Structure formats: structure tokens, C-alpha cells
């Protein structure tokens, strides 16, 4: 599914290579038509923003958004395990999951890094990819709501991902919880909010609860491993 590859690229740290590839990414979104018109339009607006903004400004913005704290971290297990010991085992499990599908990480990045995970999903059958993507829905929903609260164009990527999961709207409860967080949430308060969200807004009970479930071969809370991007 090339759309997942495009969404992965859009969430990567901006480089000149990415900027050069933007017309191609735009064409894939339009031609593959995996997304509704609304989601396509929002992504095209993000691409236009990336094309019109100086690279150094894009890079500074990216770091401020995604690398300055936990609230918008693109490492999925950060929002589930934090710094607990369980995160290490989750990393190992996800790395093995990649390897079981014939892929070995080649980039220097943790396996729960969302762009890397999406890159992997783009290589496997669509049905399997969407099932695994759905396991991340609680995290995707909250990240998207936080970006939407900031009226940031990157929110369009998460809107597209949640749409692919079959969820076209963020619940009023999630939006209210995110709006109440404030700009300077402490790590302790984030943990408290995330615990509440995992119970209240999860699409599938147990997917992020610390319990294994046969419905989800990759329950997003116990899977992942080392640094690098999957290559066949």
C-alpha cells in the first residue's frame, strides 16, 4: 500500500530528498485513492506547506514538535510503556515480528518509530497491514488530537491513518482530554492521561492493556527492538 509509504515519508525528519520527492508523494495520494477526499485534501495542504517553507524552518519545526518531550513522540511504545522495563521486551518482540516477515532493520532508529513501522506495513499485504495499523489506533488518535489542537498541518497524517483504521472522527472525549492537557504537561500527568485514554478510548480491549490477545498478533504494547528501518 503506497499510501502508507507516503505517510511514513511525510512523518520523517525533513531533508532535501524529501522535498524533492513531494510531487511524487502528492501523485501517489491522488492516484491510489485509499483516502477520502477530505483526507486527501488535508495531506495535499501539508505537502504544499512543506514545499513552500524553507528547509531549515521545516527542520526546526519538526524538532520542536516531535523531539521535545513525550506528548508528540513518534515512538509508539513511549505512549504505552514510557520508560518501564516492559518497553524493552516490546522492542524485542517487534524486531522479531519484522524479521519473521523477511525484513531486517537497516536504519538507525528504534523499531517502534512510527515512520519505520509504516514503511514496514507498506511492504506487507494490505489486509495484514491494516490489522496491524489498527492496533496502534489509541496512540494515533491521541497524537492526531494533540496536533489538531495546535492546528498543525501534520495532524492530516494522523487523520489519514485513523481513516485507514476505519475511524473517521476523533471522539469528543479524546478532544476534551487533549484540550485540558495544557501546553506544559508534566510527564507524570501525561502518564495519568494516557492510562485513562487506554481504558476509555481503545478500539479493542486488551490491545494496550499489557495482556496478550490472540486477536492481535502484534498487540501494540508488547512489540519492538533496536535501531534501523526495514529493508527486504
Amino acid at each position: 500500500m503506497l499510501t502508507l509509504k507516503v505517510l511514513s515519508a511525510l512523518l520523517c525528519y525533513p531533508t532535501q530528498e524529501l522535498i524533492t520527492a513531494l510531487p511524487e508523494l502528492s501523485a501517489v495520494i491522488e492516484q491510489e485513492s485509499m483516502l477520502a477526499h477530505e483526507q486527501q485534501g488535508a495531506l495535499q495542504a501539508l505537502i504544499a506547506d512543506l514545499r513552500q517553507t524553507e528547509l531549515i524552518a521545516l527542520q526546526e519545526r519538526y524538532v520542536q514538535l516531535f523531539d521535545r518531550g513525550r506528548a508528540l513522540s513518534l515512538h509508539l511504545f513511549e505512549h504505552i510503556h514510557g520508560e518501564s522495563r516492559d518497553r524493552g521486551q516490546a522492542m524485542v518482540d517487534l524486531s522479531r515480528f519484522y524479521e519473521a516477515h523477511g525484513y531486517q532493520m537497516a536504519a538507525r532508529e528504534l523499531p517502534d518509530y512510527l515512520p519505520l513501522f509504516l514503511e514496514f506495513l507498506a511492504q506487507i499485504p494490505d489486509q495484514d497491514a491494516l490489522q496491524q495499523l489498527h492496533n496502534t489506533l489509541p496512540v494515533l488518535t491521541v497524537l492526531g488530537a494533540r496536533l489538531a489542537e495546535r492546528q498543525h498541518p501534520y495532524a492530516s497524517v494522523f487523520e489519514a491513518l485513523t481513516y485507514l483504521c476505519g475511524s473517521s472522527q476523533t471522539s469528543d472525549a479524546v478532544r476534551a482530554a487533549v484540550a485540558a492537557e495544557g501546553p506544559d504537561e508534566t510527564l507524570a500527568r501525561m502518564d495519568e492521561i494516557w492510562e485513562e485514554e487506554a481504558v476509555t478510548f481503545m478500539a479493542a480491549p486488551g490491545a494496550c492493556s499489557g495482556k496478550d490477545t490472540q486477536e492481535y498478533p502484534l498487540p501494540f504494547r508488547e512489540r519492538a527492538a533496536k535501531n534501523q528501518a526495514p529493508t527486504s
Side-chain angles (χ1 to χ4, degrees):
M1 188 187 302
L2 290 177
T3 295
L4 287 176
K5 194 174 182 70
V6 169
L7 298 176
S8 169
L10 291 175
L11 283 179
C12 287
Y13 180 77
T15 62
Q16 187 55 54
E17 289 76 13
L18 173 63
I19 303 306
T20 301
L22 288 175
E24 182 180 353
L25 302 185
S26 176
V28 169
I29 292 170
E30 182 177 349
Q31 294 168 8
E32 194 169 49
S33 297
M34 294 293 297
L35 302 168
H37 180 74
E38 181 180 356
Q39 281 76 41
Q40 289 189 43
L43 286 174
Q44 297 293 3
L46 170 61
I47 289 173
D49 176 74
L50 294 173
R51 295 180 71 175
Q52 296 165 7
T53 306
E54 290 187 5
L55 181 58
I56 186 64
L58 292 175
Q59 293 171 337
E60 291 174 353
R61 180 178 73 177
Y62 185 95
V63 170
Q64 288 297 321
L65 273 178
F66 299 121
D67 295 339
R68 300 291 189 198
R70 183 181 173 194
L72 291 173
S73 172
L74 294 179
H75 290 92
L76 295 168
F77 293 153
E78 177 75 15
H79 302 279
I80 297 165
H81 298 297
E83 298 303 319
S84 75
R85 187 180 306 175
D86 291 341
R87 186 179 181 187
Q89 185 59 52
M91 294 288 185
V92 171
D93 291 343
L94 183 53
S95 181
R96 289 172 178 168
F97 185 79
Y98 291 155
E99 293 171 1
H101 283 74
Y103 295 90
Q104 187 171 11
M105 296 172 62
R108 299 183 61 183
E109 189 48 78
L110 293 172
D112 66 334
Y113 182 54
L114 181 56
L116 185 153
F117 181 66
L118 295 175
E119 170 74 14
F120 165 74
L121 294 185
Q123 314 302 320
I124 66 177
D126 290 358
Q127 184 175 357
D128 294 342
L130 293 177
Q131 179 182 2
Q132 298 306 325
L133 182 66
H134 192 276
N135 294 336
T136 71
L137 183 58
V139 178
L140 299 177
T141 299
V142 174
L143 290 176
R146 285 173 176 160
L147 287 164
E149 178 70 15
R150 302 183 186 202
Q151 298 183 322
H152 202 285
Y154 273 113
S156 63
V157 179
F158 292 89
E159 291 167 5
L161 289 170
T162 55
Y163 177 84
L164 290 173
C165 289
S167 176
S168 59
Q169 290 187 327
T170 302
S171 73
D172 291 340
V174 171
R175 285 194 292 267
V178 167
E181 288 178 343
D184 299 312
E185 279 300 337
T186 64
L187 185 59
R189 177 56 183 151
M190 286 180 188
D191 287 339
E192 178 184 338
I193 290 173
W194 193 212
E195 286 175 7
E196 293 169 358
E197 289 163 355
V199 171
T200 307
F201 308 121
M202 275 183 13
C208 294
S209 64
K211 299 177 181 178
D212 289 330
T213 167
Q214 293 184 357
E215 297 176 42
Y216 296 94
L218 182 62
F220 245 101
R221 24 143 339 89
E222 331 192 42
R223 310 253 171 198
K226 196 173 170 177
N227 285 359
Q228 303 155 5
T231 58
S232 54

